[in-house]
Amino acid sequence: MSDARLLWLNEVSQRFAGFNREESPFVILGLPMDITSSYRPGSRFAPQAIRSSAQTLEFYSVRNGIDAGEFGFSDVGDVVLHPSDVEENLRRISDVVSYFRERDKITIGIGGEHTVTPGIIEGFRRATKTPPCVLSIDAHMDLRDDYMGYKYDHACAMRRVHELGAKVVLVGVRAFTKEELDFARKNDIPFVTSLQAESMGTNWLISYVSRVLEECKEVYVTYDMDGFDPAYAPGVATPEPEGLRPTTVLDLINGIADERFSGFDVVEVSPPFDYGGITAILAGRLILETSTVIYKNRFLK
Ligand SMILES: [Mn+2]
């Protein structure tokens, strides 16, 4: 690995669930950027917390009947980040992500704040020329043009992704401004609130999201952990009540994932606020389950 883009990588001593399998189709990338969190910072500690939480989880997926140990993960470490320069960090993230996307690796980003996602999508765009469709699981729309004058705030993540030309679909939203709502409607950004998702049920949700993604050539999923109800995921930067249940989200992903799914991230976990570490454990499970269903659809069909 002599590409200059990989100079931004720093090895870590504890890898995701202990995996260090270079030939795996899945690359784990820590993205400990924690600069713009307005309420509860700490997401810089999340990559390590999630890596170690996964150590305690069983690798067998009940939904898929496959053991994640069959394919494993190549945990390449953390991207070395500047302590305050967000735009420089997005360039570094997109450098590293484009390297792995060019090699057809399935990138799993572990944030860090949600601002890392526009950097990842830019990396995809550089590698493939066309950005993937992006499914965002999140309490927030993140469609603000700026937050207090700053464009690369975590409250603007999906607005930046939308500007990169990616089709965006939002699931679990329940906290947004009137301006964001108007922007979503005006720009045909489909969204499902957590209230709709839980009352309409999983089958409806699966068919709705599948239809939205029908025309997409490539699909990327970003899991903002605050999309879940704080009862299941208390350790996040900006918690919001009335969120999604883990079973709803995992059933959704299991119902829609196919060979087009080429990467995902898990962001916004804040370990200092994660009572009992349960948010990091859910994040670890989410990574194992999502990888397994992607593996099944891409390599076993
Ligand atoms: Mn959010």
Side-chain angles (χ1 to χ4, degrees), residues 230-297:
Y232 303 103
V236 295
T238 46
E240 278 288 341
E242 298 205 271
L244 300 165
R245 292 174 306 125
T247 304
T248 305
V249 173
L250 288 169
D251 284 351
L252 168 65
I253 295 305
N254 232 69
I256 62 171
D258 58 25
E259 70 290 343
R260 300 171 299 163
F261 281 55
S262 60
F264 64 96
D265 63 54
V266 176
V267 298
E268 295 279 324
V269 172
S270 181
F273 297 93
D274 193 12
Y275 315 104
I278 64 177
T279 316
I281 290 170
L282 178 56
R285 173 52 66 200
L286 209 49
I287 291 171
L288 288 167
E289 287 294 309
T290 307
S291 312
T292 305
V293 69
I294 292 176
Y295 181 77
K296 185 174 167 182
N297 279 281

Side-chain angles (χ1 to χ4, degrees), residues 114 138-140 142 224 226 238 268:
H114 212 165
D138 197 332
H140 311 92
D142 288 352
D224 182 330
D226 66 35
T238 46
E268 295 279 324

Side-chain angles (χ1 to χ4, degrees), residues 119-154:
I120 295 170
I121 301 303
E122 172 60 13
F124 273 65
R125 190 170 78 148
R126 277 168 62 185
T128 65
K129 311 297 173 228
T130 327
C133 293
V134 176
L135 165 61
S136 173
I137 307 292
D138 197 332
H140 311 92
M141 286 188 164
D142 288 352
L143 288 176
R144 283 179 158 95
D145 189 29
D146 65 82
Y147 187 71
M148 298 191 188
Y150 189 58
K151 281 184 172 269
Y152 292 95
D153 189 274
H154 72 155

